[in-house]
Amino acid sequence: MAYSYSPGELTFKDAVITCLKNYFNFYGRASRAEYWWWFFFNILVMSVAFLFDILIVSGFAFGISELQHSSGTLGAVVVAGMFLPFILTMIVALLLLLPTLTVAVRRLHDVDRSGFWVFITVIPILGTVLLLYWHLLPSSQTVSANYE
């Protein structure tokens, strides 16, 4: 079930709620506002997670490494230092991956493209630029395919 709003009334909060309600929904359409508000939300959440990891978790890992260094054992500290500092960022990225993919597919539907075009990003620069261009296009007024 796709949740939709008229383009003029979609707010940041509405867009985030809509994307979370459509967590597993690859059908339907997503307006430019919905896609870009969700993109902005991703940036905010990932930035907060990254800052938390840098300020809190890395400080904790640094304190442990200093403690371990003084006792002479460094093996566990090196392993923990490689993975522990960005654990929250990795968890948040994994949680936001699927709704980001679904809103990108629904945004492609809104400009009359198949959702499989999202995989064009495997072409390093050209694919990303083309996908960005499609995400910037206004909603299609004529529907050439049924994405509902």
Side-chain angles (χ1 to χ4, degrees), residues 30-37 39 103-104 106-113 127-140:
S31 67
R32 269 193 300 190
E34 181 181 344
Y35 177 79
W36 289 109
W37 278 126
F39 188 81
V103 75
R106 288 185 283 117
R107 178 70 193 125
L108 286 170
H109 291 170
D110 197 43
V111 294
D112 286 335
R113 300 277 186 268
T128 304
V129 170
L130 184 59
L131 195 63
L132 175 65
Y133 170 74
W134 284 335
H135 286 317
L136 290 171
L137 288 175
S139 298
S140 176

Side-chain angles (χ1 to χ4, degrees), residues 52-122:
F52 182 82
D53 280 342
I54 292 295
L55 297 175
I56 305 299
V57 179
S58 292
F60 176 71
F62 181 72
I64 290 175
S65 70
E66 287 298 318
L67 182 65
Q68 291 286 338
H69 184 63
S70 65
S71 68
T73 58
L74 287 175
V77 173
V78 171
V79 172
M82 288 171 43
F83 297 106
L84 185 62
F86 301 107
I87 191 74
L88 182 63
T89 305
M90 288 188 280
I91 291 170
V92 168
L94 286 174
L95 289 174
L96 293 177
L97 179 66
L98 189 59
T100 301
L101 183 63
T102 60
V103 75
V105 167
R106 288 185 283 117
R107 178 70 193 125
L108 286 170
H109 291 170
D110 197 43
V111 294
D112 286 335
R113 300 277 186 268
S114 170
F116 287 107
W117 279 108
V118 79
F119 295 114
I120 199 167
T121 57
V122 298

